[in-house]
Amino acid sequence: MSWPPARRSGARRPEREYEKVAAPKKGRSASAQSKPWRSLALILIAIVALTGGMFLSGHTTPRLGIDLAGGTSITLRAVPEAGQESAINKTNMDTAVDIMNRRVNGLGVSEAEVQTQGDKNIIVNIPKGTNSEEAQKQVGTTAKLYFRPVLATEVSGAAATASPSPSASSTDKATDKATSSSSPSSSTTPSATSTSQGRAVTDALKADPTPSTSASASASASASPSASSGDASAAAAKLEAQYTALDCTDAKARAKAGDGAKPTDSTVACGQNSQGQWQKYVLGPAEVDGTDVDEAKAVLNTTTGAGWTVTMKFTSGGAKKFGDITGKLAQNQPPQNQFAIVLDGEVVSDPSVSQALTGGNAEISGNFNQESAQSLSNMLSYGALPLTFKEDSVTTVTAALGGEQLKAGLIAGAIGLALVVLYLVAYYRGLALIAVASLLVSAALTYVIMALLGPAIGFALNLPAVCGAIVAIGITADSFIVYFERVRDEIREGRTLRPAVERAWPRARRTILVSDFVSFLAAAVLFIVTVGKVQGFAFTLGLTTVLDVVVVFLFTKPLLTILARSKFFSSGHSWSGLDPKRLGAKPPLRRTRRPSHTAAGPVDPKEA
């Protein structure tokens, strides 16, 4: 008994088996094989768009951190109030660090370092760059924030001239958005009507039907009803003398204005109006303090055309106090319908009100731009520190040492990159061109995105961040190697290049995604649990890991698919890196044939 003839026995079955396995699944070939140009076009458009945005923004280089570009280092010492030495504790110091950190970063100055040193000191390092001077000013502004009613105000050092004042409006549900009318912010004739605190007018003012226009009238009007006439007159005379002598154009006089005044005292203060002129104020006792402000934001109001505004949300207790004071202020004439927002003895804003704001929310509108609105919102949000701090020293940090370290790091990175390229060329030959091109695309994306993130979120490149970018070279190269080795394994199994490229991709893709996910997870955890410069390393590592996935999917794989159709790679050239002989490939499956047999033994195929 003999086997059926070889031609009918399915001698070519292995070939059919091979063809069945090699062919891509239905519906996947179009996207996987025939349209790699779409992916390349997509990543090219992304690079061009990001590069164009970089040049349009004017920020063509990444921002540098304090260790590379220099900056300012401020040492603050905690000073407790009399009899409250126990207020200097770890809890309050940590709270102060958190508030200062948010205050600085709220201005867009990233990579600022705020940390405690010892039991009483806080060190603030602010890198040189956008808004660093404003950040330094706000960090040094460590007094508590107060809302005080305005009793009198005039331009300092010149005749009083009317100037527009910001207005406050309610944003509660009951009144929707009722914007109060604009009123002058400077006046030499404060009204003799009842003050915003609702205190009784003194006997002297009651007896005079035409109240005095001097600051003493305002001071007397703010005197406590329980105080004697003599005490009120003495307090008014003292306040009048301070107000008359105050010259807000003098920096030393501004710094001493209101020194020693308690929140319950009337006081004098200085501030700038919308024209940049210095004004001096007589202010009543504080009715609301900074701890009563729960949240403040700078908002672009396009609904009413008010432009940039500052919205405030008060705590439950603060909402009641703010509603009471605005209700009393609304009954007065300018400037006594205004309240001054005072920080470190300086009036940072003096909005007027025309109605009681009782909803727990308020909006300050006026001649704001984005920068001034953001600055005021930061002061309102982070103005109330649990301790008073004194500036012990302010020093400038040079970038000489950091520049030398950066140069050494870049040299080390260049040497490492050169060694990686040499290894790829020696081991993968022609495939090294794909790897190098992918590294260049990844480097271009990383650079452009870092340059854009500087003005966008305040990202600053420091030495650890540079280290993260260098480490990312190995992560990116590892992804290419995984894919190349999968393709070479398929060729070793006897498959031609084009089906080998498609069969290797699903397996390599899973491995690459798992590896990059682990790297990104480690970077995310490191970013969350650390502070300062280590965060720069974690951020850069996470960013480059994400870009690695983008480059491999949208550039490396499509490019290899296209090159697999070229004669140089598909023929297995000895310099292609895919030479079947050098890889020890098995003979193609389609060349194997099953020999015919007889009962007596094998039969020569030619005879069959």
Side-chain angles (χ1 to χ4, degrees):
M1 182 176 179
S2 63
W3 293 98
R7 186 170 296 177
R8 294 191 220 169
S9 64
R12 296 181 64 85
R13 185 176 302 167
E15 182 179 346
R16 292 196 298 271
E17 293 283 347
Y18 166 72
E19 296 296 339
K20 180 179 179 181
V21 173
K25 293 182 180 181
K26 185 177 180 180
R28 196 170 64 183
S29 60
S31 60
Q33 295 186 26
S34 62
K35 300 180 181 179
W37 290 105
R38 289 189 177 182
S39 299
L40 293 178
L42 180 62
I43 195 169
L44 178 62
I45 292 173
I47 293 176
V48 171
L50 291 173
T51 304
M54 179 183 70
F55 282 103
L56 289 175
S57 67
H59 299 274
T60 56
T61 57
R63 285 184 57 205
L64 299 180
I66 190 171
D67 53 354
L68 299 181
T72 303
S73 180
I74 306 171
T75 302
L76 301 174
R77 176 168 52 87
V79 180
E81 296 182 5
Q84 297 184 1
E85 286 74 14
S86 60
I88 301 182
N89 53 54
K90 186 177 185 304
T91 300
N92 284 346
M93 292 291 288
D94 290 343
T95 301
V97 167
D98 181 61
I99 291 174
M100 290 183 186
N101 190 46
R102 287 183 296 167
R103 182 188 291 177
V104 174
N105 288 310
L107 293 169
V109 182
S110 186
E111 295 298 319
E113 296 179 357
V114 183
Q115 55 190 359
T116 57
Q117 186 180 71
D119 297 331
K120 297 183 178 181
N121 296 327
I122 290 181
I123 306 297
V124 183
N125 293 325
I126 305 172
K128 181 180 179 181
T130 306
N131 290 331
S132 61
E133 293 182 0
E134 181 68 16
Q136 178 184 347
K137 178 182 177 182
Q138 288 202 16
V139 167
T141 308
T142 55
K144 289 187 177 181
L145 182 76
Y146 295 108
F147 291 71
R148 292 177 176 267
V150 176
L151 304 179
T153 179
E154 64 178 276
V155 175
S156 183
T161 57
S163 60
S165 171
S167 61
S169 64
S170 173
T171 57
D172 58 26
K173 294 182 179 179
T175 58
D176 194 13
K177 187 177 180 183
T179 304
S180 62
S181 60
S182 178
S183 62
S185 64
S186 59
S187 172
T188 56
T189 57
S191 171
T193 58
S194 62
T195 65
S196 58
Q197 297 92 336
R199 294 180 174 84
V201 181
T202 60
D203 294 337
L205 290 177
K206 286 182 179 179
D208 187 358
T210 56
S212 172
T213 59
S214 67
S216 62
S218 298
S220 299
S222 64
S224 172
S226 61
S228 66
S229 178
D231 292 340
S233 298
K238 180 179 179 181
L239 199 60
E240 181 181 6
Q242 291 177 345
Y243 182 76
T244 303
L246 180 60
D247 181 9
C248 290
T249 60
D250 183 1
K252 294 183 178 180
R254 292 198 303 269
K256 295 181 179 180
D259 275 356
K262 298 179 180 179
T264 55
D265 295 338
S266 295
T267 185
V268 295
C270 296
Q272 281 185 298
N273 59 25
S274 58
Q275 283 76 37
Q277 299 171 309
W278 283 103
Q279 290 190 205
K280 56 182 180 180
Y281 296 81
V282 177
L283 304 176
E287 298 287 346
V288 182
D289 61 44
T291 57
D292 293 320
V293 179
D294 185 46
E295 184 181 34
K297 294 181 179 179
V299 178
L300 180 59
N301 190 331
T302 57
T303 305
T304 62
W308 283 98
T309 63
V310 178
T311 61
M312 296 183 294
K313 180 181 179 182
F314 293 89
T315 62
S316 57
K320 184 180 184 305
K321 290 190 285 185
F322 190 72
D324 292 342
I325 179 63
T326 53
K328 297 171 184 177
L329 287 175
Q331 302 174 21
N332 297 338
Q333 297 297 318
Q336 292 183 348
N337 67 338
Q338 297 171 234
F339 64 84
I341 301 173
V342 186
L343 184 63
D344 201 21
E346 181 181 333
V347 177
V348 296
S349 183
D350 59 349
S352 61
V353 295
S354 59
Q355 64 182 44
L357 308 180
T358 58
N361 297 280
E363 180 182 79
I364 302 176
S365 60
N367 298 323
F368 287 115
N369 55 29
Q370 182 177 4
E371 182 179 357
S372 60
Q374 185 66 57
S375 177
L376 178 57
S377 68
N378 284 337
M379 292 179 183
L380 291 170
S381 296
Y382 315 128
L385 289 170
L387 293 168
T388 300
F389 288 87
K390 178 182 179 181
E391 275 189 7
D392 270 358
S393 64
V394 178
T395 58
T396 300
V397 180
T398 63
L401 179 60
E404 294 177 0
Q405 292 177 339
L406 175 62
K407 183 178 178 180
L410 293 177
I411 292 175
I415 293 174
L417 180 60
L419 292 175
V420 170
V421 172
L422 288 176
Y423 171 79
L424 291 174
V425 171
Y427 191 74
Y428 289 107
R429 303 198 175 190
L431 289 177
L433 296 176
I434 302 175
V436 171
S438 300
L439 285 173
L440 291 176
V441 170
S442 180
L445 286 172
T446 302
Y447 181 87
V448 173
I449 292 176
M450 283 185 176
L452 290 173
L453 289 179
I457 63 173
F459 172 76
L461 189 67
N462 54 22
L463 282 175
V466 173
C467 294
I470 295 174
V471 170
I473 296 175
I475 296 176
T476 305
D478 182 63
S479 299
F480 306 151
I481 291 173
V482 168
Y483 186 28
F484 293 161
E485 287 300 323
R486 289 292 188 183
V487 173
R488 288 155 68 103
D489 285 343
E490 294 296 331
I491 293 176
R492 290 188 183 97
E493 293 297 325
R495 295 179 178 88
T496 57
L497 181 57
R498 291 181 64 178
V501 168
E502 301 305 324
R503 287 178 60 89
W505 174 241
R507 298 178 182 178
R509 178 178 59 200
R510 287 193 294 269
T511 304
I512 292 170
L513 287 176
V514 171
S515 176
D516 284 344
F517 175 77
V518 172
S519 297
F520 182 81
L521 184 63
V525 172
L526 193 63
F527 183 85
I528 293 172
V529 302
T530 58
V531 295
K533 295 180 180 180
V534 181
Q535 283 188 328
F537 172 84
F539 182 86
T540 306
L541 183 61
L543 174 64
T544 51
T545 300
V546 173
L547 291 179
D548 174 49
V549 176
V550 173
V551 171
V552 170
F553 275 69
L554 298 182
F555 185 82
T556 307
K557 198 275 177 180
L559 183 60
L560 184 56
T561 300
I562 293 172
L563 293 180
R565 301 170 183 174
S566 66
K567 184 178 180 180
F568 178 78
F569 284 96
S570 62
S571 63
H573 193 279
S574 59
W575 280 96
S576 66
L578 298 169
D579 183 7
K581 293 182 180 180
R582 294 179 62 90
L583 296 176
K586 297 178 182 179
L589 295 177
R590 62 167 54 96
R591 297 179 183 176
T592 61
R593 297 180 61 184
R594 182 180 295 173
S596 301
H597 291 75
T598 62
V603 178
D604 189 343
K606 295 182 179 179
E607 297 180 0

